Amino acid sequence: MGLDRLIVIIVVAVIACGSRAVNVSFDKNYHVTWGNYHVKYVNQGTEIDVSMDKASGAGFESKVEYASGFFQIKMKLPQKDFSGVVVDFYLTSDIDNKGGNHDELDFEFLGSDGPPFTLQTNVFANDGGGREQRIHLWFDPTSGFHTYGILWNQHQIVFYVDDTPIRVFKNNTDIGVSYPSQQLVVQGSIWNGEAWASGGKKIDWSKAPFVASYQGFDVTACQFQGTANKNVCYISNSTQWWNGDKYLQLDPYQNQALQRTRTQYMYEDYCTSKTASMHKECSINNSTHGWVEEVGRRQMFL
C-alpha cells in the first residue's frame, strides 16, 4: 500500500467518528429564507435543489444559532457553464445583513465553464475579512455529491473537503488576532456574483436555470442558549466531541494531507498577497500560513 493511500485512509478514519453528514429532512433543521419558488424538495425532503435564473436565486438558513460544532453538508454544483454564479455554504452571525462586527466562515464555489473548479474559503472575525484562500478542486464537483465541513471550537477552525483538511485558522486572540466567537447560523445559497466570481465573465443566461443540490441536513453542533450559557458550548464531552483534545490541532497525518493540498491545489493565499501585512497571523510562527507548515514538518520526522 502506498504512503499517500495510507495517509488518506488514516485521515478518513480520524475524522469519521460522528462527523458524517446524515440524511435527514431539510425541514428538521433549516428553512428557506429567499427565492422560495427556486427551491425544490427531492427524495422526501432529504435533498433540495436550489436554482437561479434572471428572476432570482435562492437561499436557506438553520432554524437556530450555534456556538461550536462540526458543520457539514453535501453539495453538487450546476452541471453546465455556470460562470458568474456563486454557490455557497457558510456560517455567519450577520443574520439580518445589518453590517457591524460580524463573524463568518465561508465555502464559496465560483462558477466555471469546466475544470479547473475553484473553491474559495474566507474567515471574518469581528468584521475583519480579507482572508481569502482559493484552491482548484481535484475532482469534478458537478458530477456528484461531495462533503464540505467546518470544525469550529475555541482552539481552531478547520475547513474540510471530503475529510481532507484544506485550511486551518488558529485561535490567536492572545496576540491580538480576532477569532470568531459570536453565535452563528448555517446558510447556503446560489446567487449572481458575475462582478467578481469568475474573473468578470458574464453569466450566460441561455444556460439558465442553474441548479445546485444539497444533502445531509443533520447538524452536529452546540445550540446557542444565550450569552450567560455560552461556555456550555466549549465543554469537551462525549456529545461535544469536537471540543476534545483530539481536535485542538491537526495530527501529523492530517498535517501532511493539508500540506499536500496547499502545495498541489492552492493558487491564491491572502498571506502571500499585498494585503498580508493587514493580518497579524500571517507574520507569526503559529499562523494559518506558517504554523501548520512548521508543525507538519516537525511531526513528520518525530
Side-chain angles (χ1 to χ4, degrees):
M1 180 182 293
L3 177 59
D4 284 351
R5 179 166 175 75
L6 177 60
I7 291 171
V8 170
I9 291 173
I10 294 174
V11 170
V12 170
V14 169
I15 302 300
C17 58
S19 68
R20 294 291 186 180
V22 178
N23 206 28
V24 302
S25 172
F26 171 83
D27 289 332
K28 177 181 178 181
N29 293 312
Y30 293 91
H31 62 95
V32 177
T33 51
W34 62 285
N36 295 65
Y37 296 107
H38 289 73
V39 177
K40 177 183 177 182
Y41 286 68
V42 182
N43 295 329
Q44 290 77 49
T46 59
E47 177 182 329
I48 61 168
D49 292 340
V50 296
S51 65
M52 189 184 82
D53 55 25
K54 277 190 174 182
S56 179
F60 62 89
E61 174 182 288
S62 61
K63 293 180 178 179
V64 300
E65 300 170 315
Y66 303 96
S68 69
F70 197 130
F71 305 86
Q72 290 196 124
I73 209 157
K74 295 180 179 180
M75 298 172 60
K76 181 171 65 174
L77 303 188
Q79 295 179 299
K80 56 182 68 176
D81 178 0
F82 64 114
S83 299
V85 178
V86 177
V87 183
D88 55 32
F89 168 64
Y90 62 104
L91 281 63
T92 181
S93 65
D94 193 10
I95 301 174
D96 299 318
N97 297 313
K98 296 178 180 178
N101 297 327
H102 86 290
D103 294 340
E104 187 169 308
L105 309 173
D106 297 327
F107 274 112
E108 296 177 309
F109 299 86
L110 311 186
S112 157
D113 59 355
F117 295 98
T118 298
L119 168 60
Q120 175 173 286
T121 59
N122 201 357
V123 175
F124 286 80
N126 198 29
D127 222 31
R131 295 185 172 94
E132 293 88 353
Q133 290 184 355
R134 291 185 178 184
I135 66 171
H136 286 145
L137 292 170
W138 53 93
F139 54 85
D140 181 354
T142 72
S143 64
F145 284 92
H146 291 266
T147 303
Y148 306 93
I150 301 173
L151 170 74
W152 172 41
N153 59 34
Q154 286 302 292
H155 302 274
Q156 64 175 356
I157 294 163
V158 185
F159 292 78
Y160 293 91
V161 174
D162 286 338
D163 296 322
T164 298
I166 65 165
R167 178 174 187 168
V168 175
F169 187 81
K170 300 294 290 184
N171 186 339
N172 287 305
T173 52
D174 57 331
I175 58 169
V177 178
S178 294
Y179 188 78
S181 59
Q182 301 182 59
Q183 61 270 26
L184 306 179
V185 293
V186 188
Q187 295 188 342
S189 61
I190 184 170
W191 52 281
N192 185 340
E194 65 181 5
W196 64 274
S198 303
K201 186 175 180 180
K202 298 296 183 181
I203 295 173
D204 181 355
W205 292 109
S206 70
K207 301 290 198 305
F210 305 96
V211 180
S213 302
Y214 292 81
Q215 294 178 346
F217 300 113
D218 194 37
V219 180
T220 306
C222 180
Q223 183 175 336
F224 179 74
Q225 299 290 345
T227 304
N229 299 319
K230 193 170 184 179
N231 288 340
V232 171
C233 288
Y234 305 153
I235 296 172
S236 172
N237 54 37
S238 59
T239 303
Q240 296 181 177
W241 50 265
W242 57 85
N243 291 323
D245 291 345
K246 190 176 183 179
Y247 301 94
L248 304 189
Q249 62 184 26
L250 300 187
D251 64 32
Y253 302 105
Q254 292 172 317
N255 268 306
Q256 291 180 51
L258 173 63
Q259 291 313 307
R260 185 170 58 250
T261 300
R262 289 178 60 91
T263 299
Q264 296 181 2
Y265 303 111
M266 181 176 291
Y267 71 95
E268 186 173 309
D269 181 6
Y270 74 106
C271 276
T272 59
S273 71
K274 294 180 180 179
T275 61
S277 60
M278 296 171 52
H279 303 282
K280 188 178 294 186
E281 70 268 18
C282 291
S283 60
I284 59 176
N285 290 332
N286 60 338
S287 69
T288 301
H289 182 64
W291 180 87
V292 290
E293 294 181 356
E294 180 61 27
V295 171
R297 282 194 294 267
R298 289 178 183 174
Q299 292 183 331
M300 283 175 66
F301 297 102
L302 290 180

